Amino acid sequence: ATSPAGTGTVDVTVTTPGGTTATREADHFTYVPAPTVTAIKPKEGPLGGSTAVTITGTNFGKASAVKFGASAATSVSCSASECTATSPAGTGTVDVTVTTPGGTTATREADHFTYVPGPTVTAIKPQEGPSKGGTSVTIAGTNLGKASAVKFGSSPAAAASCNATECVATSPTGTGTVDVTVTTPGGAGTATTADRFTYVPVPAVTAINPAEGPVTGGTVVTITGTNLGKAVAVKFGSIAATTASCNATECSATSPAGTGTVNVTVTTLGGTSAATTPGRFSYVAAPTVTAIKPKEGPVTGGTLVTVTGANFGKAPVVKFGLNAAIGIVVKSATSLTAISPPGTGTVDVSVLTAGGASATSSADQFIY
């Protein structure tokens, strides 16, 4: 027999020439209201499925099926007013329907579920930044809209905003080379070589040689350290070196003009090296000679000459013309003694230090 329309629970009876069946519990037939879907959450998920969806509505009891379009959901569990179901694989926008003994829910906009293609990252710029984070990175790709997360490795970006083809994100702290991934309702992007971001360690200066030079600059200084590659600046105090070239462990830089003692620093994408004692460079004033005594001596040399002046430093070279003196003893910054080498004629006695060579004058002339 085909049931007519009805509501509630009724008795099913059969009438024959012998009479009508007595009613009892065994003949009860219940009319079940048709189910309805009023909302689903979330309304989007990846093409591969596996999204846990909560379906809200009425008359879900004794549900026999939940479908996303024509495909059955998995892991279905229902109460009278709510079902939880896992989306199968699919594409496009589909209706989510629930089937019970009362029928199948009518389709409507409220039950729409959209399959979203997964995001892809095709390029990032810049591809490097300091370990402390803070680099603004532009991420190009596809299906980046409605991003719920941007990560550098396993760490969330400090800030991120996305449209369908581009995200701008601020790198968090990190180390090494990591994949930059974007997560949307379509899932998390697959890591590729195009999405790699490298954290650059802070450079460090461990030694410089020489550590002194003239105030006029021009000293070629070898700077030893770590993480010096791709240096964007080498400075002596606040003044940039006149020339500089670097590899990972060494820079060669020419000192600019300056005074006093300054810190030599190297700046890379990883930041600026800290000021340290091994990185200090001292500008040395040029020496001057104001008097020598005696002013004459034999051509065979051997005369002990006292030289008076300024800025004689710790280990000067003393020359009589082109010939180096011997037995140099520095008494103070303004006085030293030296033994004349062999020579002829009238020569200038000059003092050479890290600050340069003393200028010649009549006051420094020695006669053989």
Side-chain angles (χ1 to χ4, degrees):
T2 302
S3 63
T7 59
T9 298
V10 298
D11 293 292
V12 177
T13 60
V14 178
T15 300
T16 71
T20 299
T21 55
T23 59
R24 63 177 77 185
E25 187 175 353
D27 67 27
H28 287 177
F29 179 85
T30 301
Y31 285 97
V32 180
T36 59
V37 173
T38 56
I40 64 170
K41 187 177 180 182
K43 296 180 72 66
E44 296 175 311
L47 305 180
S50 299
T51 303
V53 178
T54 299
I55 306 157
T56 306
T58 59
N59 306 316
F60 289 162
K62 299 181 181 179
S64 59
V66 174
K67 288 186 176 182
F68 285 67
S71 301
T74 60
S75 304
V76 176
S77 174
C78 294
S79 67
S81 59
E82 184 177 281
C83 290
T84 57
T86 302
S87 65
T91 59
T93 296
V94 298
D95 292 292
V96 178
T97 57
V98 179
T99 299
T100 72
T104 298
T105 55
T107 58
R108 60 178 73 185
E109 188 176 353
D111 67 28
H112 287 178
F113 179 86
T114 301
Y115 285 97
V116 181
T120 59
V121 173
T122 56
I124 64 171
K125 187 176 181 181
Q127 295 181 313
E128 297 177 312
S131 299
K132 66 181 180 180
T135 303
S136 180
V137 179
T138 299
I139 304 158
T142 59
N143 306 315
L144 305 181
K146 299 183 181 179
S148 58
V150 176
K151 288 186 176 181
F152 287 67
S154 60
S155 301
S161 62
C162 297
N163 59 33
T165 59
E166 184 177 281
C167 292
V168 177
T170 302
S171 64
T173 58
T175 57
T177 297
V178 298
D179 292 293
V180 179
T181 56
V182 179
T183 300
T184 71
T190 303
T192 67
T193 54
D195 67 28
R196 288 179 184 165
F197 180 86
T198 299
Y199 285 100
V200 181
V202 178
V205 173
T206 55
I208 62 172
N209 185 35
E212 295 179 315
V215 295
T216 54
T219 303
V220 177
V221 179
T222 298
I223 305 160
T224 306
T226 57
N227 308 314
L228 306 181
K230 299 183 181 179
V232 295
V234 176
K235 288 187 176 181
F236 287 68
S238 60
I239 303 173
T242 55
T243 63
S245 63
C246 297
N247 60 32
T249 59
E250 186 176 282
C251 292
S252 177
T254 303
S255 65
T259 58
T261 297
V262 297
N263 291 295
V264 178
T265 57
V266 178
T267 299
T268 70
L269 289 175
T272 299
S273 60
T276 61
T277 301
R280 288 179 183 165
F281 180 86
S282 295
Y283 284 99
V284 181
T288 58
V289 175
T290 56
I292 61 172
K293 186 176 181 181
K295 297 179 68 67
E296 298 177 316
V299 294
T300 55
T303 302
L304 182 66
V305 178
T306 298
V307 183
T308 304
N311 306 316
F312 287 165
K314 298 175 182 179
V317 173
V318 178
K319 287 189 174 182
F320 284 66
L322 299 176
N323 300 319
I326 60 173
I328 300 166
V329 177
V330 178
K331 304 292 187 179
S332 67
T334 60
S335 177
L336 61 80
T337 60
I339 298 173
S340 65
T344 58
T346 299
V347 297
D348 291 294
V349 177
S350 59
V351 177
L352 290 79
T353 70
S358 58
T360 58
S361 70
S362 59
D364 67 25
Q365 290 180 345
F366 181 84
I367 302 173
Y368 283 99

